């Protein structure tokens, strides 16, 4: 399954954007009425010195459009100087039009009068006029790299019906084109729609992808597991790339009030590298500077942690986050990211159609359940060094993978079930771990032919679950399975609610019992289907890990590693330590780059295993066998002497 990179396309060719969202310390959102040209140039200079080449900038709507038919000329002149400052500094910017929401508050132009942003015809006309007018003013300026329609409109305009939102978005994009804008354009909504989050807010990421030139996730996840935290933005990017558009991580970051300097640097390091490996080809950190002088100004007055999201202090001193940005910029240059692509996926994780939120007569809990389970399973797959790709059921099951994963899956459509059975018969391995889901709606397996496909006879009672009473489950392997020898034990923390904290009782018919639980009941079974296999786990191991704080690396890492070996999944690089993930990027000139990412709080000494060739330093030919990885470190190596075919 292809997992190539998609870059934002411009008239000069593909680009990889790298920068920060920008407000000047002179005023935050009010910077245009307190514009300080010397300060702006100094703020841009420190970003440029650290490898950033782009900003995302904002037309603060109440100030730029004080009346429904007038643009404030002082603000417009300040923005023109702001563009000139970018050219002087060697940078570009992506202007954002409808900026009513910012950092914890919604700010209306005084004339809006509560009108609906998506459905009120007069207000739609005024938005369109504003977008077209500003595009016409600035589109020919060399500093303009692209356009964004809004800033987190699902918060400012609130969720709405899909048809109205999509029509509004289409009208705004056409207004950019009517104003002469030829640069790439997107919505600025955060990619928070059902296809990515499992929650329907009307902003269909699938619909918006058809209207725009790139998709821009905004990710500020807060997890109870550090590994999930470090892979959180990457998973969102990976899920977004499945819709076929270039993905720019449009907002990410943290307040220094929420993390120490050391830990803030770790977070930036992990998010940047992991999102690259997940298919992101652009990054805009939130944000350029702290705002200590604005503590009495809304929105910072009531959201004071928003004062300290900066890459620099309010005195323009680089914070550790900015140094991580600089380091990552050097990596992008060293590997020539525009010439790179990801290795094809040899293992596919199925994204159920039910995640997309528009299945008739279904429970919204099931969509959110699918999202959280997949997110946890993605972390486990990464730590098992699987060349994993997410495969949307709605778009068809990829046919060229050796392993298909359905982690803690409650629901799958009928055609997909049949297709996966066919793929198993053709030589693939299909893995399912069972879960009832977290809701009470139609509690049971929505997977047609489960007994036949997996060679079992389930023993369910209608409307009932078989609760797991213990706090921990131990699986013991009765036979060798992949790299797991007979006698190996895997311990699983038990978690879930009254619906999901349950196992699937089965007895084997055609299947072979591979592992049993502490009561001797079948826990993992394999069934021969044609020239391939199906593998059933009767415990929702991914869901239980998802509900367990600090679960990772979890037992699924060992099971996924064994599944990969059992299915014959070729892994170019593998690290035995489950706290380290290994990924490979390929350059079109034949070079291969290996990324080793530690999730350990302690230093590690690791010896990567390669299927061909040898590892060397990124900038030299000195062989690398065993290497030291500091806590949460990322190392980039070269792979040489391999068969490029």
């Amino acid at each position: 399954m292809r997992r190539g990179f998609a870059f934002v396309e411009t008239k000069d060719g593909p680009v990889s954007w790298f920068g920060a969202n920008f407000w000047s310390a002179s005023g935050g959102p009010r910077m245009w009425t307190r514009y300080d040209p010397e300060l702006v140039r100094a703020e841009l200079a420190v970003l440029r010195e650290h490898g950033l080449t782009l900003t995302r900038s904002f037309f603060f709507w109440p100030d730029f459009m004080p009346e429904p038919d007038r643009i404030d000329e002082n603000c417009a002149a300040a923005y023109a100087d702001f563009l000139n400052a970018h050219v002087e500094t060697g940078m570009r910017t992506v202007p954002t039009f409808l900026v009513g929401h910012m950092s914890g508050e919604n700010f209306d132009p005084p004339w809006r009068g509560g009108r609906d942003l998506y459905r009120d015809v007069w207000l739609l006309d005024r938005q369109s006029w504003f977008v077209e007018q500003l595009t016409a003013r600035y589109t020919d300026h060399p500093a303009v790299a692209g356009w964004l329609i809004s800033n987190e409109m699902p918060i400012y305009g609130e969720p709405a019906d899909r048809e109205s939102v999509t029509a509004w978005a289409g009208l705004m994009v056409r207004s950019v084109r009517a104003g002469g804008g030829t640069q790439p354009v997107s919505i600025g909504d955060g990619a928070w729609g059902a296809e990515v989050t499992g929650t329907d807010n009307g902003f269909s990421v699938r619909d918006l992808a058809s209207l725009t030139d790139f998709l821009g996730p905004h990710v500020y996840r807060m997890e109870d597991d550090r590994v999930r935290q470090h892979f959180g933005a990457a998973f969102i990017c990976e899920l977004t790339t499945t819709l076929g558009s270039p993905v720019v991580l449009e907002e990410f970051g943290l307040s220094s009030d929420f993390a120490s300097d050391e830990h803030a640097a770790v977070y930036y390091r992990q998010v940047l590298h992991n999102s690259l490996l997940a298919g992101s080809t652009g990054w805009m950190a939130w944000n350029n500077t702290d705002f200590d002088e604005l503590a009495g100004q809304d929105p910072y007055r009531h959201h004071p942690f928003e004062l300290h999201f900066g890459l620099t202090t309010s005195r323009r001193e680089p914070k550790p986050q900015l140094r991580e940005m600089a380091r990552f910029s050097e990596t992008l240059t060293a590997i020539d990211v525009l010439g790179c692509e990801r290795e094809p996926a040899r293992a596919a994780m199925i994204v159920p159609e039910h995640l997309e939120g528009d299945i008739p007569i279904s429970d919204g809990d099931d969509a959110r359940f699918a999202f959280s389970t997949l997110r946890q399973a993605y972390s486990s797959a990464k730590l098992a060094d699987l060349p994993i790709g997410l495969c949307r059921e709605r778009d068809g099951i990829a046919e060229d993978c050796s392993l298909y994963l359905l982690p803690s899956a409650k629901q799958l459509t009928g055609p997909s079930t049949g297709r996966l059975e066919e793929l198993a018969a053709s030589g693939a391995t299909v893995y399912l771990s069972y879960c009832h889901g977290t809701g009470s709606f139609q509690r049971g397996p929505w997977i047609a032919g489960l007994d036949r496909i997996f060679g079992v006879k389930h023993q369910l009672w209608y409307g009932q679950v078989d609760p797991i009473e213990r706090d921990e489950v131990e699986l013991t392997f009765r036979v060798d399975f992949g790299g797991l020898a007979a006698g190996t034990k895997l311990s699983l923390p038990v978690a879930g609610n009254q619906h999901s904290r349950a196992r699937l009782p089965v007895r084997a018919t055609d299947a072979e019992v591979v592992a049993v639980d502490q009561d001797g009941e079948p826990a993992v079974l394999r069934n021969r289907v044609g020239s391939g296999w199906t593998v059933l786990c009767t415990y929702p191991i991914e869901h239980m890990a998802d509900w367990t704080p600090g679960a990772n690396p979890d037992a699924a890492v060992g099971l996924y590693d064994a599944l990969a070996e059992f299915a014959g999944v070729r892994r170019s690089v593998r690290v035995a330590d489950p706290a380290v993930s290994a990924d490979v990027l390929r350059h079109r000139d034949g070079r291969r780059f290996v990324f080793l990412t530690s999730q350990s709080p302690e230093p590690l000494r690791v010896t990567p295993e390669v299927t061909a060739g040898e590892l060397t330093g990124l900038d030299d030919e000195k062989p690398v066998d065993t290497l030291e990885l500091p806590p949460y470190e990322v190392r980039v190596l070269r792979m040489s002497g391999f068969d490029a075919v």
Side-chain angles (χ1 to χ4, degrees):
M1 182 168 66
R2 187 178 182 275
R3 300 184 304 163
F5 282 137
F7 295 94
V8 175
E9 292 288 343
T10 72
K11 62 185 176 69
D12 298 318
V15 295
S16 177
W17 284 342
F18 188 65
N21 292 267
F22 188 97
W23 285 121
S24 179
S26 64
R30 300 292 180 179
M31 66 174 281
W32 308 113
T33 58
R34 307 174 195 166
Y35 188 70
D36 184 336
E38 292 185 3
L39 177 59
V40 163
R41 283 162 172 79
E43 291 169 332
L44 290 174
V46 72
L47 299 181
R48 188 69 191 92
E49 289 167 7
H50 287 81
L52 281 64
T53 58
L54 187 85
T55 69
R56 175 183 174 216
S57 50
F58 304 89
F59 299 125
F60 189 58
W61 203 15
D63 288 346
F64 264 85
M65 196 175 178
E67 298 173 15
D69 56 358
R70 180 171 71 87
I71 290 172
D72 185 280
E73 292 301 329
N74 290 327
C75 290
Y79 194 81
D81 182 77
F82 179 75
L83 293 177
N84 292 338
H86 277 72
V87 173
E88 295 165 17
T89 316
M91 299 182 72
R92 304 187 77 194
T93 192
V94 180
T96 306
F97 295 105
L98 301 169
V99 183
H101 171 76
M102 186 52 56
S103 298
E105 185 169 350
N106 292 334
F107 299 88
D108 276 334
W111 46 266
R112 179 186 168 188
R115 294 181 177 89
D116 189 292
L117 286 157
Y118 315 120
R119 304 179 190 89
D120 185 286
V121 176
W122 181 81
L123 187 56
L124 283 168
D125 175 73
R126 292 299 81 204
Q127 293 174 80
S128 176
W129 179 83
F130 181 68
V131 170
E132 183 177 346
Q133 289 293 312
L134 289 180
T135 301
R137 283 178 182 245
Y138 303 120
T139 188
D140 292 330
H141 199 289
V144 175
W147 307 97
L148 284 167
I149 300 302
S150 75
N151 181 57
E152 299 181 353
M153 190 61 90
I155 298 177
Y156 181 48
E158 300 184 347
D161 64 281
R162 180 170 173 174
E163 292 79 6
S164 296
V165 168
T166 303
W168 165 84
L171 177 60
M172 296 305 112
V173 170
R174 289 191 293 276
S175 299
V176 171
R177 301 309 181 207
T182 59
Q183 299 90 342
V185 63
S186 192
I187 303 301
D189 61 298
W192 294 337
E195 298 90 344
V196 172
T197 65
T199 299
D200 185 10
N201 60 5
F203 284 75
S204 164
V205 188
R206 190 180 287 275
D207 286 355
L208 299 183
S210 69
L211 299 173
T212 59
D213 299 303
F214 62 94
L215 296 171
H218 296 190
V219 185
Y220 300 99
R221 294 201 61 80
M222 296 200 173
E223 301 279 0
D224 57 10
D225 180 278
R226 195 166 297 158
V227 174
R228 281 198 296 268
Q229 185 79 45
H230 290 167
F231 282 121
F235 174 68
I236 295 292
C237 290
E238 190 92 58
L239 201 50
T240 308
T241 64
T242 61
L243 296 167
S245 294
V247 170
V248 174
L249 189 51
E250 202 170 86
E251 284 193 26
F252 72 97
L254 54 82
S255 170
S256 295
D257 297 327
F258 289 175
S260 69
D261 284 350
E262 177 187 1
H263 297 158
V266 166
Y267 182 71
Y268 261 74
R269 183 186 314 141
Q270 291 276 337
V271 167
L272 289 166
H273 288 88
N274 289 329
S275 61
L276 166 68
L277 297 168
S280 177
T281 55
W283 299 265
M284 301 186 204
W286 189 274
N287 59 301
N288 64 305
T289 187
D290 287 349
F291 304 110
D292 288 284
E293 303 305 316
L294 304 180
Q297 172 185 306
D298 291 344
Y300 311 113
R301 178 184 61 84
H302 48 73
H303 281 60
F305 63 88
E306 294 277 3
L307 293 165
H308 299 126
F309 269 85
L311 294 172
T312 74
T313 69
S314 55
R315 297 180 297 279
R316 300 184 300 284
E317 299 161 334
K319 292 162 69 172
Q321 296 93 301
L322 183 55
R323 289 191 283 274
E324 289 295 331
M325 292 283 284
R327 179 185 169 194
F328 186 66
S329 174
E330 292 171 357
T331 297
L332 295 178
T333 299
I335 67 174
D336 180 23
V337 68
L338 287 173
C340 287
E341 65 177 9
R342 298 191 288 168
E343 280 198 315
R346 302 178 181 92
M349 189 173 292
I350 307 302
V351 180
E353 187 171 347
H354 294 77
L355 175 76
E356 308 218 6
D358 56 0
I359 298 292
I361 317 299
S362 59
D363 190 339
D365 282 348
D366 287 338
R368 292 182 288 274
F369 162 75
F371 169 84
S372 61
T373 301
L374 287 168
R375 175 201 56 191
Q376 166 58 31
Y378 180 81
S379 299
S380 300
K382 295 294 290 183
L383 294 179
D385 303 330
L386 287 187
I388 192 79
L390 300 183
C391 183
R392 286 188 179 270
E393 186 184 5
R394 174 161 290 183
D395 298 321
I397 306 297
E399 300 180 355
D400 54 355
C401 290
S402 303
L403 176 62
Y404 295 86
L405 302 175
L406 293 97
S408 300
K410 173 181 177 178
Q411 294 155 320
L412 203 65
T413 64
S416 293
T417 305
R419 185 68 191 120
L420 287 166
E421 187 176 10
E422 292 172 358
L423 290 167
S426 299
T429 297
V430 176
Y431 160 85
L432 167 73
S433 56
Y434 182 79
C435 190
H436 289 290
T438 53
S440 61
F441 179 71
Q442 298 296 340
R443 188 172 59 191
W446 292 32
I447 299 171
L450 184 146
D451 282 359
R452 182 193 70 255
I453 295 170
F454 292 95
V456 299
K457 186 67 176 175
H458 75 70
Q459 305 296 300
L460 291 167
W461 288 80
Y462 177 66
Q464 304 292 296
V465 299
D466 288 73
I468 306 170
E469 305 292 351
R470 302 170 183 266
D471 293 329
E472 186 174 86
V473 171
E474 187 173 77
L475 307 186
T476 302
F477 282 77
R478 296 169 54 173
V479 299
D480 295 345
F481 183 71
L484 296 175
T488 300
K489 297 180 185 295
L490 297 180
S491 295
L492 313 174
V494 175
N497 64 10
Q498 69 270 31
H499 310 293
S500 62
R501 187 184 170 116
R503 67 182 185 91
L504 175 67
V506 301
R507 58 180 175 83
T509 54
D510 297 324
E512 175 189 10
V513 177
V514 173
V516 295
D517 65 14
Q518 63 285 330
D519 298 316
E521 296 294 328
V524 179
L525 307 97
R526 63 183 173 192
N527 184 45
R528 192 67 161 165
V529 179
S531 59
W533 297 87
T534 58
V535 177
L536 174 67
C537 180
T538 61
Y539 282 86
I541 63 174
E542 299 87 358
H543 166 65
M544 293 194 301
D546 176 49
W547 278 48
T548 301
N552 289 297
D554 71 320
V557 177
L559 182 57
Y560 286 5
D561 182 71
L563 282 165
E565 187 168 330
F566 179 72
V569 174
R570 181 180 179 273
R571 289 173 281 181
S572 298
V573 181
R574 179 179 174 275
V575 176
D577 193 317
V580 178
S581 60
D583 295 88
V584 177
L585 297 185
R586 309 189 308 185
H587 196 279
R588 59 172 171 253
D589 65 11
R591 288 179 292 164
R592 298 290 188 272
F593 302 105
V594 174
F595 289 69
L596 302 178
T597 305
S598 173
Q599 298 299 340
S600 171
E602 304 296 331
L604 295 177
R605 186 174 177 83
V606 299
T607 303
E609 304 168 14
V610 295
T611 56
E614 63 178 4
L615 298 179
T616 68
L618 184 59
D619 300 317
D620 58 50
E621 296 300 319
K622 184 178 179 181
V624 174
D625 180 24
T626 298
L627 69 156
E628 305 286 342
L629 278 178
Y632 305 113
E633 183 58 282
V634 180
R635 285 286 302 276
V636 185
L637 305 172
R638 287 256 325 253
M639 186 190 299
S640 60
F642 56 88
D643 181 355
V645 177

